[in-house]
Amino acid sequence: DADVTQTPRNRITKTGKRIMLECSQTKGHDRMYWYRQDPGLGLQLIYYSFDVKDINKGEISDGYSVSRQAQAKFSLSLESAIPNQTALYFCATSDPTGGTGELFFGEGSRLTVL
Amino acid sequence: AQKITQTQPGMFVQEKEAVTLDCTYDTSDPSYGLFWYKQPSSGEMIFLIYQGSYDQQNATEGRYSLNFQKARKSANLVISASQLGDSAMYFCAMREVFTGTASKLTFGTGTRLQVTL
């Protein structure tokens, strides 16, 4: 099983619908992130969380909200989806206390908003 | 200003040849880390190699090496003996220790590498 699991992996929805992308991890890391990938733009940070009580906006948080339900769970919501939110979404974790601080990514959630 | 610049949208290399993927960065933080990730067509992000700003030697991991030129602010990825399975998108990323936030990584726009027979 993957250390960082995202559900759903693929989702097609309509404009105006509420969508939740879920992320759970077994790595025991405190820090979790949501990134968005658009073709030609690399990965952009949406939200990040140090722990359950600490949630912060990233570069492109407008139109998104998050919930850190537990150390291991970090969900991303689109309250009213719009077509330009069509993208590949990644959840990631990191451990700042040791190693390189690399991000450990989930497998990605591909969202299409019609 | 772009913090990470990858100027090669696409690259071709023949199998068994070496290839260099360019990455330049911009930071005033004295302590930072540079990363390369591989994204195959299946979409997952695979960590390849890391270079710390204070590391004296260039990082190497198997067929991957990082050509780190601190004064020029470049961190190019060198893949030796290319294989068909190396065909993928490659991202350079940076973490700034003191001026950055929450260990977040800033990514470049990527280079798509195609390995040919």
Side-chain angles (χ1 to χ4, degrees):
Chain A
D1 287 343
D3 293 328
V4 183
T5 303
Q6 293 182 230
T7 55
R9 296 289 313 280
N10 287 283
R11 181 71 182 269
I12 301 173
T13 191
K14 294 182 179 180
T15 297
K17 295 290 188 182
R18 183 178 187 274
I19 294 296
M20 178 180 285
L21 305 180
E22 298 184 332
C23 177
S24 63
Q25 53 117 342
T26 58
K27 298 194 73 68
H29 291 167
D30 287 328
R31 295 185 175 182
M32 297 187 74
Y33 310 79
W34 276 104
Y35 279 87
R36 166 180 169 159
Q37 183 182 10
D38 296 279
L41 292 180
L43 278 72
Q44 298 173 280
L45 183 64
I46 308 172
Y47 271 95
Y48 62 96
S49 171
F50 283 5
D51 61 37
V52 175
K53 297 180 181 179
D54 190 345
I55 293 177
N56 304 276
K57 293 182 178 181
E59 304 153 345
I60 56 163
S61 59
D62 288 348
Y64 301 95
S65 62
V66 290
S67 172
R68 184 84 183 264
Q69 301 96 324
Q71 189 216 27
K73 296 184 182 294
F74 192 34
S75 300
L76 177 71
S77 293
L78 289 69
E79 296 300 325
S80 180
I82 56 177
N84 76 1
Q85 292 178 311
T86 294
L88 181 59
Y89 291 85
F90 284 104
C91 175
T93 74
S94 74
D95 174 15
T97 63
T100 66
E102 73 186 84
L103 293 181
F104 296 86
F105 285 89
E107 295 163 307
S109 296
R110 190 169 297 279
L111 176 66
T112 301
V113 184
L114 301 176
Chain B
Q2 289 281 356
K3 292 214 172 195
I4 295 285
T5 302
Q6 296 181 253
T7 58
Q8 307 154 312
M11 290 279 287
F12 285 90
V13 64
Q14 278 196 318
E15 196 180 20
K16 302 178 186 176
E17 297 293 309
V19 63
T20 298
L21 306 183
D22 294 341
C23 174
T24 58
Y25 60 92
D26 184 25
T27 182
S28 57
D29 197 320
S31 181
Y32 53 91
L34 297 155
F35 303 78
W36 278 91
Y37 282 84
K38 172 184 179 181
Q39 186 181 39
S41 58
S42 50
E44 71 269 29
M45 296 289 285
I46 302 167
F47 167 71
L48 294 178
I49 196 166
Y50 168 83
Q51 179 83 43
S53 58
Y54 293 118
D55 293 343
Q56 295 296 312
Q57 293 188 321
N58 287 343
T60 60
E61 289 286 348
R63 294 186 299 109
Y64 303 108
S65 61
L66 201 151
N67 183 3
F68 181 47
Q69 298 188 44
K70 194 170 183 178
R72 300 179 65 178
K73 293 189 175 179
S74 74
N76 299 337
L77 177 70
V78 180
I79 305 175
S80 63
S82 297
Q83 302 172 356
L84 294 177
D86 294 334
S87 294
M89 195 77 167
Y90 289 81
F91 290 98
C92 180
M94 177 173 64
R95 177 174 70 94
E96 295 163 290
V97 175
F98 294 115
T99 59
T101 306
S103 300
K104 79 176 184 76
L105 269 61
T106 301
F107 287 82
T109 53
T111 296
R112 184 169 299 281
L113 177 67
Q114 185 69 46
V115 181
T116 61
L117 293 170

